[in-house]
């Protein structure tokens, strides 16, 4: 595998991968109003120039600590042919460094149950009972302390 390059990208550049990997090809469901809110940002992971992974981040308080600087991770998707090549880890390692530089204290997400092993291997904690979340799949609240 070639070197992974992580860069900030426009929200629109995430939609194709989001739709194909996370929304059963539904391009309309891959765009949310939060993408355009102030403070939202998006990362892309490129391998040999090809977009292989994306993740989006929103300035939302953690449900567990509303008074602590936090960022929500949403729409993390990796090209299926690239699963297991470290793309997701590279994206999260990059964002953790950025968030620490910005003095953020918590990164959190509604993690799909099918991905909980990935997140816990990277240090996230699974919190509370599971719930059904878009697009109708089992999820858990996951959180990563950054301090």
């Amino acid at each position: 595998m070639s070197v992974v390059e992580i860069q900030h990208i426009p929200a629109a550049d995430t939609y194709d991968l989001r739709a194909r990997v996370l929304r059963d090809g539904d391009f309309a469901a891959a765009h949310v109003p939060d993408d355009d809110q102030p403070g939202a940002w998006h990362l892309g992971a490129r391998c040999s120039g090809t977009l292989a992974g994306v993740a989006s981040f929103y300035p939302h308080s953690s449900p567990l600590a509303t008074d602590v600087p936090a960022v929500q991770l949403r729409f993390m998707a990796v090209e299926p042919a690239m699963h297991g090549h470290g793309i997701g880890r590279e994206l999260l390692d990059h964002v953790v460094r950025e968030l620490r530089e910005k003095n953020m204290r918590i990164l959190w997400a509604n993690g799909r149950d099918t991905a909980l092993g990935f997140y816990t291997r990277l240090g996230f904690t699974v919190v509370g009972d599971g719930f059904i979340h878009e697009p109708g799949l089992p999820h858990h609240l996951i959180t990563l302390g950054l301090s």
Side-chain angles (χ1 to χ4, degrees):
M1 183 183 87
S2 62
V3 175
V4 177
E5 179 186 0
I6 307 296
Q7 57 190 196
H8 286 255
I9 61 174
D13 289 358
T14 69
Y15 299 158
D16 177 64
L17 198 51
R18 283 183 187 180
R20 288 187 294 108
V21 173
L22 302 173
R23 295 295 185 258
D24 293 324
D26 184 350
F27 193 81
H31 176 252
V32 294
D34 282 353
D35 287 335
D36 305 314
Q37 82 175 61
W41 47 289
H42 314 275
L43 291 178
R46 295 189 183 279
C47 294
S48 301
T50 300
L51 190 62
V54 297
S56 296
F57 305 91
Y58 307 91
H60 296 162
S61 298
S62 165
L64 301 175
T66 58
D67 59 337
V68 176
V71 170
Q72 181 184 15
L73 161 66
R74 288 186 70 191
F75 295 112
M76 185 160 168
V78 173
E79 192 67 58
M82 298 299 291
H83 284 184
H85 288 87
I87 305 297
R89 176 182 291 276
E90 291 281 342
L91 280 164
L92 287 178
D93 286 350
H94 182 94
V95 77
V96 165
R97 285 191 302 275
E98 276 196 35
L99 293 175
R100 285 183 173 143
E101 288 175 8
K102 295 176 181 180
N103 295 316
M104 289 292 142
R105 304 272 307 281
I106 297 172
L107 175 61
W108 69 277
N110 294 317
R112 287 185 180 197
D113 283 7
T114 56
L116 292 180
F118 166 77
Y119 289 112
T120 57
R121 283 190 300 277
L122 295 177
F124 281 81
T125 300
V126 178
V127 180
D129 294 330
F131 53 93
I132 302 299
H133 192 56
E134 49 182 289
L137 298 172
H139 284 68
H140 275 81
L141 175 64
I142 58 172
T143 185
L144 178 68
L146 300 172
S147 48

PDB file of all heavy atoms in Angstrom, residues 120-138:
ATOM      1  N   THR A 120     -12.767   0.594  19.806  1.00  0.00           N
ATOM      2  CA  THR A 120     -12.187   0.269  21.118  1.00  0.00           C
ATOM      3  C   THR A 120     -10.697  -0.036  20.996  1.00  0.00           C
ATOM      4  O   THR A 120      -9.926   0.300  21.900  1.00  0.00           O
ATOM      5  CB  THR A 120     -12.929  -0.887  21.821  1.00  0.00           C
ATOM      6  OG1 THR A 120     -12.925  -2.040  20.988  1.00  0.00           O
ATOM      7  CG2 THR A 120     -14.357  -0.484  22.164  1.00  0.00           C
ATOM      8  N   ARG A 121     -10.259  -0.628  19.890  1.00  0.00           N
ATOM      9  CA  ARG A 121      -8.824  -0.852  19.687  1.00  0.00           C
ATOM     10  C   ARG A 121      -8.057   0.462  19.612  1.00  0.00           C
ATOM     11  O   ARG A 121      -6.864   0.508  19.905  1.00  0.00           O
ATOM     12  CB  ARG A 121      -8.573  -1.675  18.418  1.00  0.00           C
ATOM     13  CG  ARG A 121      -8.867  -3.154  18.583  1.00  0.00           C
ATOM     14  CD  ARG A 121      -8.382  -3.990  17.405  1.00  0.00           C
ATOM     15  NE  ARG A 121      -8.972  -3.629  16.121  1.00  0.00           N
ATOM     16  CZ  ARG A 121     -10.150  -4.054  15.684  1.00  0.00           C
ATOM     17  NH1 ARG A 121     -10.897  -4.853  16.442  1.00  0.00           N
ATOM     18  NH2 ARG A 121     -10.599  -3.688  14.500  1.00  0.00           N
ATOM     19  N   LEU A 122      -8.735   1.532  19.231  1.00  0.00           N
ATOM     20  CA  LEU A 122      -8.098   2.849  19.129  1.00  0.00           C
ATOM     21  C   LEU A 122      -8.285   3.685  20.394  1.00  0.00           C
ATOM     22  O   LEU A 122      -7.936   4.863  20.407  1.00  0.00           O
ATOM     23  CB  LEU A 122      -8.632   3.601  17.911  1.00  0.00           C
ATOM     24  CG  LEU A 122      -8.276   2.954  16.572  1.00  0.00           C
ATOM     25  CD1 LEU A 122      -8.893   3.718  15.421  1.00  0.00           C
ATOM     26  CD2 LEU A 122      -6.764   2.846  16.392  1.00  0.00           C
ATOM     27  N   GLY A 123      -8.849   3.082  21.444  1.00  0.00           N
ATOM     28  CA  GLY A 123      -8.944   3.765  22.726  1.00  0.00           C
ATOM     29  C   GLY A 123     -10.293   4.323  23.094  1.00  0.00           C
ATOM     30  O   GLY A 123     -10.459   4.873  24.182  1.00  0.00           O
ATOM     31  N   PHE A 124     -11.278   4.224  22.214  1.00  0.00           N
ATOM     32  CA  PHE A 124     -12.620   4.704  22.540  1.00  0.00           C
ATOM     33  C   PHE A 124     -13.239   3.808  23.603  1.00  0.00           C
ATOM     34  O   PHE A 124     -12.950   2.614  23.685  1.00  0.00           O
ATOM     35  CB  PHE A 124     -13.529   4.685  21.306  1.00  0.00           C
ATOM     36  CG  PHE A 124     -13.326   5.824  20.359  1.00  0.00           C
ATOM     37  CD1 PHE A 124     -12.294   5.801  19.434  1.00  0.00           C
ATOM     38  CD2 PHE A 124     -14.182   6.919  20.376  1.00  0.00           C
ATOM     39  CE1 PHE A 124     -12.112   6.836  18.540  1.00  0.00           C
ATOM     40  CE2 PHE A 124     -14.001   7.970  19.492  1.00  0.00           C
ATOM     41  CZ  PHE A 124     -12.961   7.932  18.567  1.00  0.00           C
ATOM     42  N   THR A 125     -14.132   4.401  24.391  1.00  0.00           N
ATOM     43  CA  THR A 125     -14.900   3.686  25.396  1.00  0.00           C
ATOM     44  C   THR A 125     -16.350   3.632  24.935  1.00  0.00           C
ATOM     45  O   THR A 125     -16.909   4.643  24.488  1.00  0.00           O
ATOM     46  CB  THR A 125     -14.826   4.421  26.755  1.00  0.00           C
ATOM     47  OG1 THR A 125     -13.457   4.487  27.154  1.00  0.00           O
ATOM     48  CG2 THR A 125     -15.639   3.717  27.808  1.00  0.00           C
ATOM     49  N   VAL A 126     -16.947   2.462  25.039  1.00  0.00           N
ATOM     50  CA  VAL A 126     -18.368   2.289  24.724  1.00  0.00           C
ATOM     51  C   VAL A 126     -19.153   2.622  25.976  1.00  0.00           C
ATOM     52  O   VAL A 126     -18.847   2.130  27.061  1.00  0.00           O
ATOM     53  CB  VAL A 126     -18.652   0.844  24.271  1.00  0.00           C
ATOM     54  CG1 VAL A 126     -20.138   0.649  23.995  1.00  0.00           C
ATOM     55  CG2 VAL A 126     -17.818   0.489  23.043  1.00  0.00           C
ATOM     56  N   VAL A 127     -20.167   3.483  25.830  1.00  0.00           N
ATOM     57  CA  VAL A 127     -20.910   3.994  26.980  1.00  0.00           C
ATOM     58  C   VAL A 127     -22.386   3.611  26.874  1.00  0.00           C
ATOM     59  O   VAL A 127     -23.024   3.835  25.841  1.00  0.00           O
ATOM     60  CB  VAL A 127     -20.803   5.531  27.056  1.00  0.00           C
ATOM     61  CG1 VAL A 127     -21.568   6.073  28.244  1.00  0.00           C
ATOM     62  CG2 VAL A 127     -19.340   5.971  27.103  1.00  0.00           C
ATOM     63  N   GLY A 128     -22.923   3.045  27.949  1.00  0.00           N
ATOM     64  CA  GLY A 128     -24.365   2.838  28.060  1.00  0.00           C
ATOM     65  C   GLY A 128     -24.930   1.754  27.168  1.00  0.00           C
ATOM     66  O   GLY A 128     -24.213   0.946  26.573  1.00  0.00           O
ATOM     67  N   ASP A 129     -26.242   1.776  27.096  1.00  0.00           N
ATOM     68  CA  ASP A 129     -26.984   0.798  26.324  1.00  0.00           C
ATOM     69  C   ASP A 129     -26.971   1.174  24.844  1.00  0.00           C
ATOM     70  O   ASP A 129     -26.848   2.344  24.486  1.00  0.00           O
ATOM     71  CB  ASP A 129     -28.441   0.735  26.800  1.00  0.00           C
ATOM     72  CG  ASP A 129     -28.560   0.208  28.221  1.00  0.00           C
ATOM     73  OD1 ASP A 129     -27.708  -0.605  28.627  1.00  0.00           O
ATOM     74  OD2 ASP A 129     -29.502   0.633  28.919  1.00  0.00           O
ATOM     75  N   GLY A 130     -27.167   0.184  24.007  1.00  0.00           N
ATOM     76  CA  GLY A 130     -27.254   0.421  22.581  1.00  0.00           C
ATOM     77  C   GLY A 130     -28.580   1.042  22.195  1.00  0.00           C
ATOM     78  O   GLY A 130     -29.537   1.057  22.972  1.00  0.00           O
ATOM     79  N   PHE A 131     -28.639   1.541  20.983  1.00  0.00           N
ATOM     80  CA  PHE A 131     -29.852   2.168  20.462  1.00  0.00           C
ATOM     81  C   PHE A 131     -29.845   2.030  18.947  1.00  0.00           C
ATOM     82  O   PHE A 131     -28.809   1.741  18.349  1.00  0.00           O
ATOM     83  CB  PHE A 131     -29.946   3.641  20.887  1.00  0.00           C
ATOM     84  CG  PHE A 131     -28.712   4.447  20.548  1.00  0.00           C
ATOM     85  CD1 PHE A 131     -28.615   5.147  19.354  1.00  0.00           C
ATOM     86  CD2 PHE A 131     -27.629   4.492  21.432  1.00  0.00           C
ATOM     87  CE1 PHE A 131     -27.473   5.874  19.042  1.00  0.00           C
ATOM     88  CE2 PHE A 131     -26.490   5.223  21.134  1.00  0.00           C
ATOM     89  CZ  PHE A 131     -26.413   5.913  19.932  1.00  0.00           C
ATOM     90  N   ILE A 132     -30.979   2.235  18.350  1.00  0.00           N
ATOM     91  CA  ILE A 132     -31.095   2.204  16.893  1.00  0.00           C
ATOM     92  C   ILE A 132     -30.947   3.637  16.398  1.00  0.00           C
ATOM     93  O   ILE A 132     -31.598   4.556  16.878  1.00  0.00           O
ATOM     94  CB  ILE A 132     -32.451   1.617  16.442  1.00  0.00           C
ATOM     95  CG1 ILE A 132     -32.620   0.194  16.995  1.00  0.00           C
ATOM     96  CG2 ILE A 132     -32.563   1.638  14.921  1.00  0.00           C
ATOM     97  CD1 ILE A 132     -31.571  -0.795  16.543  1.00  0.00           C
ATOM     98  N   HIS A 133     -30.046   3.799  15.437  1.00  0.00           N
ATOM     99  CA  HIS A 133     -29.746   5.126  14.898  1.00  0.00           C
ATOM    100  C   HIS A 133     -29.686   5.012  13.377  1.00  0.00           C
ATOM    101  O   HIS A 133     -29.576   3.914  12.834  1.00  0.00           O
ATOM    102  CB  HIS A 133     -28.400   5.601  15.480  1.00  0.00           C
ATOM    103  CG  HIS A 133     -28.092   7.033  15.254  1.00  0.00           C
ATOM    104  ND1 HIS A 133     -28.914   8.052  15.644  1.00  0.00           N
ATOM    105  CD2 HIS A 133     -27.014   7.623  14.690  1.00  0.00           C
ATOM    106  CE1 HIS A 133     -28.360   9.216  15.331  1.00  0.00           C
ATOM    107  NE2 HIS A 133     -27.209   8.975  14.747  1.00  0.00           N
ATOM    108  N   GLU A 134     -29.740   6.153  12.700  1.00  0.00           N
ATOM    109  CA  GLU A 134     -29.736   6.134  11.252  1.00  0.00           C
ATOM    110  C   GLU A 134     -28.585   5.304  10.705  1.00  0.00           C
ATOM    111  O   GLU A 134     -27.505   5.341  11.267  1.00  0.00           O
ATOM    112  CB  GLU A 134     -29.719   7.560  10.692  1.00  0.00           C
ATOM    113  CG  GLU A 134     -28.677   8.456  11.321  1.00  0.00           C
ATOM    114  CD  GLU A 134     -28.710   9.873  10.800  1.00  0.00           C
ATOM    115  OE1 GLU A 134     -28.329  10.076   9.643  1.00  0.00           O
ATOM    116  OE2 GLU A 134     -29.091  10.753  11.563  1.00  0.00           O
ATOM    117  N   PRO A 135     -28.786   4.525   9.714  1.00  0.00           N
ATOM    118  CA  PRO A 135     -30.029   4.276   8.978  1.00  0.00           C
ATOM    119  C   PRO A 135     -30.786   3.048   9.499  1.00  0.00           C
ATOM    120  O   PRO A 135     -31.014   2.087   8.776  1.00  0.00           O
ATOM    121  CB  PRO A 135     -29.543   4.043   7.554  1.00  0.00           C
ATOM    122  CG  PRO A 135     -28.216   3.346   7.740  1.00  0.00           C
ATOM    123  CD  PRO A 135     -27.642   3.922   9.012  1.00  0.00           C
ATOM    124  N   GLY A 136     -31.144   3.059  10.765  1.00  0.00           N
ATOM    125  CA  GLY A 136     -31.903   1.968  11.359  1.00  0.00           C
ATOM    126  C   GLY A 136     -31.042   0.809  11.844  1.00  0.00           C
ATOM    127  O   GLY A 136     -31.506  -0.324  11.889  1.00  0.00           O
ATOM    128  N   LEU A 137     -29.791   1.109  12.216  1.00  0.00           N
ATOM    129  CA  LEU A 137     -28.859   0.073  12.662  1.00  0.00           C
ATOM    130  C   LEU A 137     -28.496   0.254  14.131  1.00  0.00           C
ATOM    131  O   LEU A 137     -28.519   1.377  14.648  1.00  0.00           O
ATOM    132  CB  LEU A 137     -27.577   0.127  11.822  1.00  0.00           C
ATOM    133  CG  LEU A 137     -27.754  -0.131  10.328  1.00  0.00           C
ATOM    134  CD1 LEU A 137     -26.459   0.135   9.589  1.00  0.00           C
ATOM    135  CD2 LEU A 137     -28.240  -1.543  10.089  1.00  0.00           C
ATOM    136  N   PRO A 138     -28.099  -0.832  14.808  1.00  0.00           N
ATOM    137  CA  PRO A 138     -27.680  -0.734  16.214  1.00  0.00           C
ATOM    138  C   PRO A 138     -26.401   0.094  16.367  1.00  0.00           C
ATOM    139  O   PRO A 138     -25.441  -0.094  15.619  1.00  0.00           O
ATOM    140  CB  PRO A 138     -27.436  -2.180  16.636  1.00  0.00           C
ATOM    141  CG  PRO A 138     -28.077  -3.027  15.595  1.00  0.00           C
ATOM    142  CD  PRO A 138     -28.105  -2.221  14.340  1.00  0.00           C
TER     143      PRO A 138
END
